Amino acid sequence: MTEAYVVGAGQSDFGTFPDESYRSLFATAFEAARDSVPKGMDTDDIDEAVVGTLGVGGRQLGLPGPAVTEHVGLEGVPCTRVENACAASGYAVRQGVQAIRSGMADVVLASGVEVMTDVSSEAVRYWLGVSGETEWERLSGTTFAGVYAQMASAHMAEYGTTKEHLSQVAVKNHANGAKNPHAQLRFECSLEDAMNAPTVADPLNLYHCCPTTDGAACVLLVSEDVVDEFTDTRIRVAGVGAASDAVGLFQRDTYTGVPASQRAASDAYDMAGVGPADLDFAEVHDCFAIAELMAYEDLGFCEPGEAGEFVASGATRPDGEIPVNTSGGLKSKGHPIGATGAGQVTEAFKQLSGEAGDRQLDGPRYGLTHNVGGSGGAAVVHVFEREEPRSSGGSSGRRPRDGEDGGESA
């Protein structure tokens, strides 16, 4: 089974763009992704396309994938639309990896797009709510923020997590996002700002919640057979894990974690042959500050109940033990629902390629992306590895996995 590699990734700016359409945003991201391929890529090289989108506002609910891929010149290329709420394009990337590993494609465009700001705030709340359980959550009036507020309250009650811990997530991510030219909220905030913002859903306030966002992101995946045609920097999709769970929060056994994230991470680590301690950075799904804190625990960065102290220690800052959300995360970079997962992979590609600009980390080898749908009804985790330069003998340079012989054969 062939390996899958990321050879290019790009995104549009994330924000509010009244003069843009979902097609034009997608075209911007697509061209950025193509331009990032070191040796170039033509549209004729692409065998398959996968597009993640929820369809906020109801635009082009049928065939939104072909609507954007035909717009960028991919005539006749098979295209699949993926909808898994906020995890839509994370799953699109996973599906692209599956297409390559199955041998059905050598080059796949995995992408996402969403326009959220051209409808009223009431309509946005409706579309956000459709990712929750319909009968007992959405129709009873529970908002998306309200669901995560319940999770925050439970985490505080069980583990002593504080509002200051939530606010420290916001301060860190705004500091990172201020260095990202594509971020929606490119400004820093003080701890005092984040502590004293207006309440949205107690205990969550404005600085604990991600914004409403337009944007698109595209990732170009290729097989091991053709990777050298496109790049000399081999960034392998080392591990993939995905899981589903009950859509309604009230249907689950815990409010203080996301079991789908835990299962997805375990599978991704097992496939990659690495663990949390091997990671050099991570992009995690911080739709609300509590979601990032729970991700620390679900992904194994710290033990359950220790996330508050973990962020307070500085461990997740760019100079910390495991930098998290160097892009600014959903909180500062923005959260165009269908584009978020592919946007996370774009940041991972830039970091591993050494092209992250002012937020570039020092020589990362392993990075992780973590994308969640709704309040945890779906989750997908990818682990990426920048392979060491190949020897003259032509080996891939990857680290042997568990059970493999890393030495020379007899």
Side-chain angles (χ1 to χ4, degrees), residues 83-294:
E83 185 284 299
N84 235 357
C86 313
S89 60
Y91 270 82
V93 173
R94 176 177 180 265
Q95 187 162 326
V97 172
Q98 289 176 320
I100 286 170
R101 287 184 169 173
S102 72
M104 293 187 69
D106 278 321
V107 182
V108 177
L109 168 65
S111 57
V113 62
E114 207 76 63
V115 173
M116 303 176 66
T117 66
D118 64 345
V119 295
S120 68
S121 58
E122 290 78 12
V124 170
R125 283 197 294 272
Y126 169 84
W127 282 99
L128 288 172
V130 301
S131 300
E133 195 277 337
T134 298
E135 185 175 7
W136 296 102
E137 286 184 350
R138 182 163 67 88
L139 293 183
S140 66
T142 303
T143 64
F144 198 37
V147 170
Y148 274 91
Q150 294 177 60
M151 299 167 92
S153 294
H155 206 277
M156 289 174 160
E158 185 165 345
Y159 297 125
T161 307
T162 67
K163 187 175 180 180
E164 183 169 342
H165 293 142
L166 298 173
S167 300
Q168 286 166 336
V169 171
V171 171
K172 171 184 66 70
N173 289 350
H174 271 278
N176 292 342
K179 298 178 181 178
N180 185 349
H182 296 297
Q184 180 174 8
L185 304 179
R186 291 189 62 199
F187 58 85
E188 297 188 22
C189 72
S190 68
L191 184 60
E192 182 181 7
D193 291 335
M195 290 283 289
N196 297 317
T199 297
V200 173
D202 191 53
L204 302 178
N205 68 33
L206 186 64
Y207 271 92
H208 303 150
C209 308
C210 69
T212 300
T213 314
D214 306 332
C218 292
V219 178
L220 292 165
L221 301 160
V222 305
S223 72
E224 190 171 15
D225 295 335
V226 301
V227 62
D228 292 335
E229 298 176 21
F230 299 102
T231 187
D232 294 323
T233 303
R234 295 164 62 112
I235 298 173
R236 185 171 66 98
V237 184
V240 183
S244 298
D245 202 347
V247 174
L249 178 61
F250 69 94
Q251 297 170 302
R252 299 184 213 141
D253 293 333
T254 179
Y255 279 29
T256 59
V258 177
S261 293
Q262 297 163 12
R263 290 191 290 269
S266 177
D267 288 347
Y269 290 142
D270 285 348
M271 183 182 293
V274 301
D278 297 298
L279 298 176
D280 297 300
F281 67 90
E283 288 285 304
V284 309
H285 197 92
D286 62 316
C287 50
F288 299 91
I290 185 60
E292 178 165 326
L293 294 179
M294 290 191 299

Side-chain angles (χ1 to χ4, degrees), residues 381-392:
V381 172
H382 292 88
V383 175
F384 301 92
E385 176 192 9
R386 175 172 175 151
E387 292 184 341
E388 298 298 326
R390 292 175 298 158
S391 68
S392 58

Side-chain angles (χ1 to χ4, degrees), residues 317-330:
R317 291 198 297 257
D319 59 351
E321 174 185 334
I322 170 70
V324 173
N325 288 338
T326 55
S327 69
L330 285 61

